[in-house]
Amino acid sequence: MVLSALVVALFATPLPVSYSHDVAPILDRHCAPCHRPGGVAPFSLFTYSDAAKRAGLIATVTRSRYMPPWLPTEPRFAHERKLTDAEIALLARWAATGAPPGNPAETPPVPTFAEGWQLGKPDLEVEMSNTFDVPADGPDLYQCFAMPVAESASHYVRALDIRPGNPLVVHHAILFQDTTGTARARDTGSGYPCFGTPGFLPARGMGGWTPGSLPFQTPEGMPETLYAHAALVLQVHYHPVGKPASDRTRVALYFTDQKPTRTGYDIPLGSSRIDIPAGDRAYKVADSFVIPVDVDVIAVNPHAHYVCRDMLGYALLPDGTRRTLIHIPNWDFNWQQQYVYSKPLRLPADTRVVMEYTYDNSAANPRNPNHPPRRVFYGPSSTDEMAGLHIAVAPADAADGEELGLALWGKLVRATGGGGLSRGRR
Ligand code: HEC
């Protein structure tokens, strides 16, 4: 009787939680990649005192899933940054019980982070031609830099890495190559402003950097081509941090001799017919495309500005099955990135891929850039909107590439000829 009461009491009282035994391993693994000296976050979470003085805040931001930053609720992607419910509960319990340190001897060693390029010595290393000065405050800046590349031959690129000179002010960066000469002409030494798109077509995106991201590696058999005499163009989103800062971001490229055996295609779902009445809380933008051949879906890249709230991408298979490609219920422009599937997703011919975005143009949307809300159109600036879902696919059978390419061309012609791109502003 006494014994069973004791057993019940033991099970009813959760085991004590301590920093050294329970909390440090979670922070080291999920937070320290950004919260470390020289990292992107404004403070470190390395030591007991770093963590203990913020125990309550850590519990709050993990419970709301604001940290670690990760927007999609489904499906599962490679390199996902998510805490489990058990880990979140543990951090909450630690804060609620007064953030006990535990036994210091048990604290795991401070994690180390590679200082050099994570993939070793690059085949080509380039950097912005000058440092760029970011003012102490004011609006975020979107600046494009044409980076000189003295390559007279084309190369196949198997991987790339981007290293911000000053991770505190670099919010994200995307690397493009420009074969038109436009970027080089516009960049007279300190870049040129470029919110949204880099200002040339085709804008060949090669990869990107977001806080905490890993080097970008191309899928097996699908290296990117870097064209001879092309300019590498880096689009950087700077976020002023209260004191003047400067940045000079560097890029590393890794080449391969292996010719591509599969060709990647971009299915650009999206619409420029955006005209959102002020105050509208649930304005919908949709697009779809029927893929005529079997494909493997490799990655998705959603894009919109600040008024967008909910992003849904899905595939409707010919047998009626519906598979979620991505769902972001609470879009945050500040954490945009490409999402790579852990395993490519095979879709049979005649699958319809669909995007459905919902915009909240009311004052209740805390990210609405317009106070009071105003009518919002399609456009490139931060107070305009966009709607895009890029789906990176490779035909299952390389011989099907031409058919897919033609179907995509047809979609583009319908979008432009049908008034899509030209009639955004009515
Ligand atoms: C991918 C990078 C990244 C990761 C991983 C990350 N953080 Fe952050 N964190 C940031 C950045 C950048 C900021 C500052 C900007 C902001 O608040 O959005 C921040 C801010 C915070 C804040 C301050 C929030 C506020 O309202 O002042 C807390 C607390 C925090 N992080 C805790 C954590 C914890 C705990 C983890 C791990 C469970 C974590 N972060 C993982 C990048 C990251």
Side-chain angles (χ1 to χ4, degrees):
M1 171 70 198
V2 173
L3 186 67
S4 64
L6 190 69
V7 170
V8 169
L10 264 180
F11 277 99
T13 324
L15 291 172
V17 171
S18 74
Y19 174 77
S20 56
H21 187 265
D22 310 285
V23 172
I26 299 178
L27 302 187
D28 287 353
R29 174 142 179 257
H30 296 282
C31 318
C34 297
H35 288 271
R36 63 186 166 97
V40 297
F43 53 86
S44 291
L45 285 174
F46 256 6
T47 62
Y48 172 70
S49 74
D50 289 341
K53 63 180 177 225
R54 298 185 181 91
L57 193 56
I58 290 172
T60 307
V61 298
T62 52
R63 190 183 309 121
S64 68
R65 293 198 180 272
Y66 178 60
M67 287 287 147
W70 186 258
L71 303 182
T73 49
E74 54 172 333
R76 306 217 49 176
F77 291 98
H79 315 305
E80 207 164 70
R81 284 191 303 258
K82 265 187 187 172
L83 296 183
T84 62
D85 291 342
E87 287 167 329
I88 293 171
L90 202 145
L91 293 172
R93 197 134 51 82
W94 182 62
T97 53
N103 174 5
E106 252 182 14
T107 306
V110 169
T112 51
F113 294 89
E115 284 306 321
W117 295 110
Q118 287 183 54
L119 299 178
K121 190 175 155 27
D123 295 303
L124 178 66
E125 198 173 334
V126 285
E127 66 177 348
M128 285 161 39
S129 26
N130 292 298
T131 55
F132 182 74
D133 293 325
V134 182
D137 39 41
D140 285 15
L141 302 169
Y142 301 85
Q143 196 78 359
C144 276
F145 302 92
M147 295 185 302
V149 182
E151 294 294 314
S152 51
S154 294
H155 292 284
Y156 299 123
V157 178
R158 66 174 170 85
L160 70 88
D161 202 357
I162 296 175
R163 184 146 15 108
N166 185 342
L168 273 185
V169 289
V170 175
H171 210 299
H172 73 266
I174 304 173
L175 186 70
F176 297 90
Q177 66 171 310
D178 178 17
T179 47
T180 69
T182 311
R184 245 187 303 234
R186 287 187 65 183
D187 184 351
T188 51
S190 52
Y192 59 94
C194 63
F195 183 88
T197 59
F200 48 85
L201 283 172
R204 301 171 196 272
M206 300 192 70
W209 178 89
T210 49
S213 68
L214 296 167
F216 179 80
Q217 313 214 37
T218 57
E220 189 58 39
M222 296 178 61
E224 294 273 346
T225 303
L226 172 66
Y227 294 92
H229 307 296
L232 286 169
V233 180
L234 193 67
Q235 180 191 43
V236 189
H237 168 183
Y238 289 110
H239 181 66
V241 287
K243 50 178 189 253
S246 60
D247 169 60
R248 191 167 187 182
T249 290
R250 286 195 290 160
V251 173
L253 296 181
Y254 298 84
F255 298 150
T256 172
D257 293 333
Q258 307 256 283
K259 287 202 177 72
T261 53
R262 307 182 73 184
T263 309
Y265 289 81
D266 171 34
I267 302 179
L269 296 184
S271 176
S272 53
R273 280 178 237 177
I274 301 178
D275 177 358
I276 317 174
D280 193 334
R281 296 205 61 174
Y283 181 86
K284 308 267 186 208
V285 174
D287 189 22
S288 73
F289 175 71
V290 176
I291 308 175
V293 302
D294 291 0
V295 294
D296 286 323
V297 186
I298 292 154
V300 282
N301 196 342
H303 182 74
H305 298 169
Y306 294 98
V307 175
C308 185
R309 207 22 149 356
D310 187 286
M311 294 175 152
L312 180 63
Y314 59 90
L316 275 178
L317 276 55
D319 69 0
T321 317
R322 180 173 154 150
R323 297 181 75 171
T324 303
L325 296 177
I326 187 161
H327 185 207
I328 295 180
N330 195 5
W331 166 249
D332 184 342
F333 181 86
N334 288 334
W335 290 109
Q336 58 183 301
Q337 66 171 81
Q338 183 182 58
Y339 297 97
V340 180
Y341 297 97
S342 332
K343 202 167 137 275
L345 188 72
R346 175 62 59 90
L347 295 177
D350 298 323
T351 292
R352 179 180 287 276
V353 284
V354 184
M355 65 160 273
E356 287 173 8
Y357 287 8
T358 307
Y359 297 73
D360 178 353
N361 192 16
S362 73
N365 179 356
R367 300 198 179 96
N368 197 328
N370 302 304
H371 311 282
R374 65 153 175 83
R375 190 175 172 189
V376 169
F377 296 97
Y378 171 84
S381 78
S382 65
T383 49
D384 299 325
E385 261 304 336
M386 284 201 173
L389 180 63
H390 290 270
I391 306 175
V393 301
D397 180 346
D400 284 342
E402 195 174 338
E403 189 176 348
L404 177 58
L406 276 174
L408 284 167
W409 179 246
K411 176 177 177 14
L412 183 73
V413 169
R414 279 194 304 280
T416 48
L421 289 180
S422 50
R423 284 197 221 144
R425 217 169 255 268
R426 276 174 287 183

